[in-house]
Structures are given as C-alpha cells and as structure tokens.
Amino acid sequence: MNRILKFLFSLAVVLFLVACSNASSSADDETPVMSSSSSDEDQVLLSTTVKKDGIDMLSFGSLNLDVAADSFLAVFELGDIVAVMVVGYDTLEVPVVPDYDAVSPGELLLRVVSGKPHVTLGINFGQLAVALGIAENAPAGSEYPYRLKDVKLPIEVNVALKDKGGFKENLEMLEFQNYGLVMDNYPDLSVADFANFREIATTGMGKGVLYRSSSPIDPVDGRNTYADSLAKAAKVATFINLTDTDKGAKAYEGFDKSYYATQKVVYLSLPASFTTNLFKEGLVKGLRFMLENDSPYLVHCQMGKDRAGFVSAVLEALMGASAEEVEKDYVKTYDNYYNVVHGKQQRLTESQLDWFRALIVRNMKMAYSDAGVDIDDFENVDLAKATEQYLEKLGLSQKEIADLKARLK
C-alpha cells in the first residue's frame, strides 16, 4: 500500500513539474521531461538534452542544458548537490550555484540564473565540453575557439538529487573566501606561505621527497614566480600538473624562462570532481608518471588547494598519516589564502577552519565510497590500508602501489 501511495504521489509531482516546464519553455520537440525513477537513491527528477546551438559550448567549452532556469528551480534549489548524467560520457556530482565564482577554479558547477532560458554545466576556468570529449579546439581562424566533435545528437542529460542543501553552507562561506594577489595583502605570511609552497612531512613520508604548491607557471594568482623559485631551491625534479594541458602551460608568459620548463612534467588537465572518470584516470596517470621519474616531486593545480589538496591527502594517507595530519595539512592552504578584507588578511577563526577541514574528509569519503572503499569512520579507520584499496580499485596494481610507497619513503 505504501508503495502505491508513494508512486501516486511521485506521479502527481511529475505531472506538476512537466506543467511548470511547459509553461516556461518554448513549445518544441526539445522540451525537458521531468521524471521519477523507482529508486530512492539518485532519483532522476529531470531529463533534458544538451543544447545543440549552445554558444557557451563553442565560446567557453561549457554545456547549456535545454531547460529553463525557473523550471529547474521548481525541482532543485541553489545549494543542492546534484548528480548530472551526461549519457554516454560521464556522471558528475555538482553543486547548483548562481555563478561561476561560487566554486574554486577547476571545480564543476551547474549555473542556474532565474529568468535564463537554459542552465549551464561547466568548470570554473575550464572547458567541460572538451574534457568530456563532446567538443574540441577549433582550427585557427575559426569563428569560435571550440567546435563539436563527431558526436551523436541529441545528447541526453539526466539530473538527480544527490544531497539536498549540501552546498548551502559553502555559499554562505563565500563571504570569507576572498584572497589577494600580492604579498602586501598578507603581512603575517612568509614567502612560502604566500605561494602555498610546502614540503609534505606527515607520518611515513620521506624527507624532501614530496612538495605541494600553487602553480609555478600560471600568473593569474600572482604566486607563480615565488613557487617556481622555491621549487628550484628544493631541487624538484618531477612536477605533477593537475590543471593544465601541455599547450596551455607553455602559453603562459614567462614559461620558457622558468625552472619548471627544465624539469619533467606531466600535464593532466583534471576537473576538481574526484568521482569522475576523468579525474580517476588522470590520477592513475599522474601516479604512474611519478613511478617513472625521480623525486623530489611537486604536486600542484592552480591555487594548490582543491585538486592538489586531494591528491596530497591521498598520498599522505597512503604513507601512514593520521586523519588529524591529513586535515591539518589540507586546511593550511585555506589559512594561507583566505579572508583578505580591504587589502589585508584577517586570519580565519578556528570554527571557520574547522569547516574547511571538513571538506577534505567529505571529499575523501565520497571518492573512496565511489570506488567501493568505506572510510565513513574517518578518524579511526586504517587510512593507509583503505588508500591502498582505493588506488587498486582505480587501476594500480599491488606492485605499483608498493613501488610508489617505496619512492615516497
């Protein structure tokens, strides 16, 4: 009886949402369909397609979805986390946000602005359509920088609720996520802290083996020359670039004169979405590159915060770091960057830092669980053993994992 009532209720909701969608969308063959699956988990609530004529895709590498923003907001709310299945490509877990700057550079988002005729799935400062293999760089002289690849249209997209309101606190914490571009903004920080450059010295990690930092080549945050000089002083021999393509990296002003350009580098161009195939395959590629090349190693993305923070945490856990050590190293980056007010940094409070500490715990739990590894009891689980299992699930062999540990000792 309960199942029948639940079905009837779901059907009523679906009919109402279809009516909302039809009222706010043009009457054509691509009107989005609201639907309900029989599964309570990852219940599909909206089905639509990628807009074929999406200017955002051709200009910026984002994907416009053929559903009006107001229709979307009849189903979901700003601050929800949703699972977006781009059928035939990947399933992405993304927050529903009002603008790109609600997430950090390299992070996925679903931008929903009331009144707009579509919603946009993208990467902040990235090209999701290119990363998924839907679009590609257009030839020089083309009208737009990107063009559709030889793909089968329409591309179906299904959206399910993953975590109701799971990103709302992040939106509230944006108030404190202001950072500066010059040393003068940070009177209390050292040059290394400003560059977010540090040796990883958690339990089990060898001395002078692994470093992390902001980008030593990307000038956008004003830290690259400091990070590059510090990497040279540390004699870094192998760089794991989580954010750039080879071509993109070499286009940065001053790249040819950097220390970075003289060393071994793997360019991975990964999204900051740790359960996607793109990220998992890229992580394996990066770790295998470390196996093929000598230390000292340096892991970085743009800011050295999200992607570099996650990869650093995985390597720390692999080598025997405690949960407390992982959280402490992760949060130092946020303490180094944030809460610049009127040109001067005001240090974050402990309660604010606790909120940022929780990010790495949540991200690791989500990524490991996606691979079938349970670390819900984060403070007490054997993180080293769990991380070995996680890396094996991603495709590394037991020998490769053992060799990686030997290189990091």
Side-chain angles (χ1 to χ4, degrees):
M1 186 65 179
N2 287 339
R3 284 180 175 270
I4 295 173
L5 290 173
K6 183 176 180 181
F7 172 77
L8 290 173
F9 176 75
S10 297
L11 182 60
V13 171
V14 169
L15 292 173
F16 170 74
L17 295 175
V18 171
C20 291
S21 174
N22 289 339
S24 58
S25 303
S26 60
D28 56 30
D29 292 338
E30 297 193 24
T31 299
V33 178
M34 309 296 182
S35 63
S36 178
S37 72
S38 60
S39 171
D40 289 337
E41 186 176 355
D42 293 349
Q43 189 177 53
V44 173
L45 295 177
L46 185 150
S47 295
T48 183
T49 58
V50 173
K51 286 181 71 69
K52 291 182 290 188
D53 58 347
I55 296 301
D56 279 356
M57 183 198 308
L58 302 179
S59 298
F60 308 112
S62 300
L63 299 178
N64 284 343
L65 306 186
D66 202 12
V67 54
D70 290 337
S71 293
F72 187 92
L73 291 173
V75 190
F76 306 102
E77 294 180 339
L78 295 175
D80 288 347
I81 296 175
V82 295
V84 182
M85 178 186 294
V86 184
V87 178
Y89 293 92
D90 208 344
T91 298
L92 314 170
E93 289 186 14
V94 300
V96 180
V97 297
D99 214 339
Y100 287 91
D101 63 4
V103 301
S104 297
E107 290 191 313
L108 291 160
L109 65 124
L110 192 59
R111 181 175 183 258
V112 183
V113 180
S114 182
K116 290 283 188 180
H118 58 262
V119 301
T120 301
L121 180 65
I123 301 174
N124 191 13
F125 289 101
Q127 296 81 38
L128 179 63
V130 176
L132 289 177
I134 294 172
E136 62 186 357
N137 291 320
S142 299
E143 181 179 3
Y144 297 105
Y146 306 103
R147 66 180 181 184
L148 273 176
K149 295 182 73 172
D150 184 17
V151 298
K152 182 179 180 181
L153 298 174
I155 299 171
E156 297 178 9
V157 179
N158 296 316
V159 186
L161 183 64
K162 192 69 179 180
D163 186 357
K164 184 67 177 174
F167 202 75
K168 279 193 173 179
E169 195 172 0
N170 296 58
L171 294 180
E172 294 167 1
M173 287 295 289
L174 286 174
E175 177 185 350
F176 306 102
Q177 296 182 34
N178 306 303
Y179 67 99
L181 304 179
V182 295
M183 279 285 297
D184 286 348
N185 298 139
Y186 299 89
D188 298 328
L189 294 190
S190 67
V191 171
D193 284 342
F194 174 70
N196 194 31
F197 182 100
R198 59 186 176 276
E199 178 185 350
I200 295 179
T202 49
T203 297
M205 196 71 69
K207 184 173 176 58
V209 173
L210 182 63
Y211 295 83
R212 55 176 296 182
S213 77
S214 59
S215 175
I217 53 172
D218 185 348
V220 69
D221 290 323
R223 290 160 166 82
N224 58 307
T225 56
Y226 298 100
D228 187 59
S229 295
L230 290 163
K232 181 178 181 179
K235 299 181 180 179
V236 171
T238 303
F239 291 86
I240 314 302
N241 184 329
L242 302 172
T243 190
D244 295 306
T245 62
D246 186 324
K247 182 178 179 180
K250 293 174 181 177
Y252 290 131
E253 183 179 356
F255 177 87
D256 290 341
K257 297 179 180 179
S258 67
Y259 169 76
Y260 190 99
T262 67
Q263 305 303 307
K264 301 285 184 63
V265 187
V266 61
Y267 300 97
L268 299 174
S269 188
L270 304 184
S273 186
F274 310 122
T275 60
T276 62
N277 293 333
L278 289 168
F279 185 89
K280 290 184 285 190
E281 292 167 4
L283 176 57
V284 169
K285 180 180 178 180
L287 297 180
R288 284 179 173 153
F289 189 79
M290 292 173 68
L291 288 172
E292 296 165 358
N293 294 281
D294 293 333
S295 64
Y297 306 107
L298 187 144
V299 176
H300 76 88
C301 48
Q302 180 186 317
M303 298 175 72
K305 178 170 63 69
D306 300 301
R307 288 162 288 187
F310 179 83
V311 173
S312 296
V314 168
L315 295 176
E316 290 163 4
L318 177 67
M319 298 305 292
S322 66
E324 182 180 4
E325 287 179 291
V326 170
E327 294 169 29
K328 182 178 179 181
D329 180 59
Y330 184 82
V331 81
K332 182 173 174 58
T333 292
Y334 292 85
D335 200 24
N336 286 345
Y337 269 109
Y338 282 157
N339 209 23
V340 173
V341 181
H342 302 305
K344 299 293 180 185
Q345 186 187 41
Q346 299 177 15
R347 304 313 290 266
L348 294 167
T349 66
E350 278 303 312
S351 63
Q352 290 164 348
L353 291 173
D354 283 343
W355 184 87
F356 288 115
R357 286 186 188 97
L359 286 179
I360 189 57
V361 177
R362 184 170 71 223
N363 286 338
M364 291 182 75
K365 284 182 178 180
M366 177 180 65
Y368 283 44
S369 175
D370 176 74
V373 180
D374 180 8
I375 57 169
D376 278 348
D377 189 6
F378 191 76
E379 302 296 329
N380 298 304
V381 72
D382 185 339
L383 282 177
K385 182 177 179 181
T387 302
E388 289 188 18
Q389 294 171 347
Y390 168 68
L391 294 178
E392 193 170 359
K393 293 281 188 179
L394 264 54
L396 288 180
S397 68
Q398 291 182 356
K399 182 180 185 306
E400 286 176 316
I401 295 169
D403 289 347
L404 180 61
K405 291 174 68 175
R407 282 184 169 271
L408 293 174
K409 284 183 179 177

